[in-house]
Amino acid sequence: MAWWAYTQAAEEGPMNVEMRVRGDALAILPEVRKVVAQMDPDVPLIQPILQRKQFERTISQQLMFARLGEFFGLLAIVLVATGLYGTLAYRVNMRTAEIGVRMAVGARREQVVWMILKDSLLLTAIGVVIGIPLAMLVGRALTSSLYGVKPMDALSYLLAVAGVVLVALAASAVPASRAANVDPLTALRAE
C-alpha cells in the first residue's frame, strides 16, 4: 500500500477518506457533506459506507464458499447416514432367519442389538481406514486452500472420525431396533 498527497498523484481519481466516529457513523454524514462542500463545492461524496459493510463486501465470496462448504458437508453426512442405513437394513433383512434362530435359542435383545451395531462399526472402521490416508493425500494437495487448518491437523481428523462414528451409530439404530424386535417364530417361517 502506498500513501501520497492527493495533489501529488499522477492521475486524479477517486479519493477515499476514512473517519473514526463515536456513536452512529451515518448520523454525522450531513455534517461531513457540509464540510466537504465548504472545502470544494465540486467534490461529491459518491459512496459513503461503513467500514464493516466494506469488509463484508470484500469477503462476500469467501463467505459464500464457506456456506457452500457447510452445505455440502451436511449433505455428505446425510448421504453417509442414508447409505449406511440402507446397507444395514438390507443386511438385517437378509439375516432375519439367523436372528430368529439366535433369539429362539436364548439370545437377548441387547446381544442382537450389539451384533447389528458391531456390523455398523466394522463398516465404519473400514471406511475410516481407507478414508483417512486419502484425506491426508488430498489435504497435502490443498494446503494453499486450507485457511487456519494444517493438512495433518490431528484434531480435525479425530473430530471427523468421531462425527462419522456418531452418524454410523445413528444410522444403525433403526435396523438394530428392528432386529431386536424380530419374533423368532415369524423369522423361522419366513425362510
Side-chain angles (χ1 to χ4, degrees), residues 110-155:
E110 299 84 30
Q111 292 172 321
V112 173
V113 168
W114 175 242
M115 179 180 72
I116 302 303
L117 290 179
K118 197 167 47 174
D119 280 353
S120 170
L121 293 175
L122 179 65
L123 289 173
T124 303
I126 291 169
V128 166
V129 166
I130 293 170
I132 293 290
L134 289 175
M136 288 178 176
L137 287 173
V138 171
R140 285 183 189 220
L142 296 175
T143 299
S144 63
S145 300
L146 298 174
Y147 178 75
V149 180
K150 295 180 178 77
M152 296 300 192
D153 185 23
L155 180 62

Side-chain angles (χ1 to χ4, degrees), residues 24-151:
D24 183 18
L26 293 178
I28 199 170
L29 194 57
E31 188 66 30
V32 171
R33 286 186 193 277
K34 190 187 311 180
V35 169
V36 170
Q38 288 173 356
M39 290 173 29
D40 188 351
D42 295 330
V43 175
L45 286 179
I46 297 173
Q47 194 177 22
I49 188 170
L50 296 175
Q51 194 167 21
R52 175 161 301 286
K53 291 287 184 195
Q54 179 66 26
F55 177 72
E56 288 171 3
R57 279 187 191 173
T58 59
I59 65 164
S60 63
Q61 188 174 10
Q62 289 84 352
L63 286 174
M64 180 188 67
F65 285 128
R67 288 187 184 116
L68 280 173
E70 290 172 0
F71 170 75
F72 285 119
L74 290 173
L75 182 63
I77 289 171
V78 169
L79 289 174
V80 165
T82 304
L84 194 55
Y85 168 77
T87 302
L88 287 171
Y90 176 75
R91 290 182 73 174
V92 167
N93 192 31
M94 296 304 291
R95 295 173 69 184
T96 303
E98 174 196 345
I99 293 169
V101 169
R102 287 177 184 259
M103 293 187 80
V105 295
R108 293 188 319 268
R109 286 179 47 103
E110 299 84 30
Q111 292 172 321
V112 173
V113 168
W114 175 242
M115 179 180 72
I116 302 303
L117 290 179
K118 197 167 47 174
D119 280 353
S120 170
L121 293 175
L122 179 65
L123 289 173
T124 303
I126 291 169
V128 166
V129 166
I130 293 170
I132 293 290
L134 289 175
M136 288 178 176
L137 287 173
V138 171
R140 285 183 189 220
L142 296 175
T143 299
S144 63
S145 300
L146 298 174
Y147 178 75
V149 180
K150 295 180 178 77

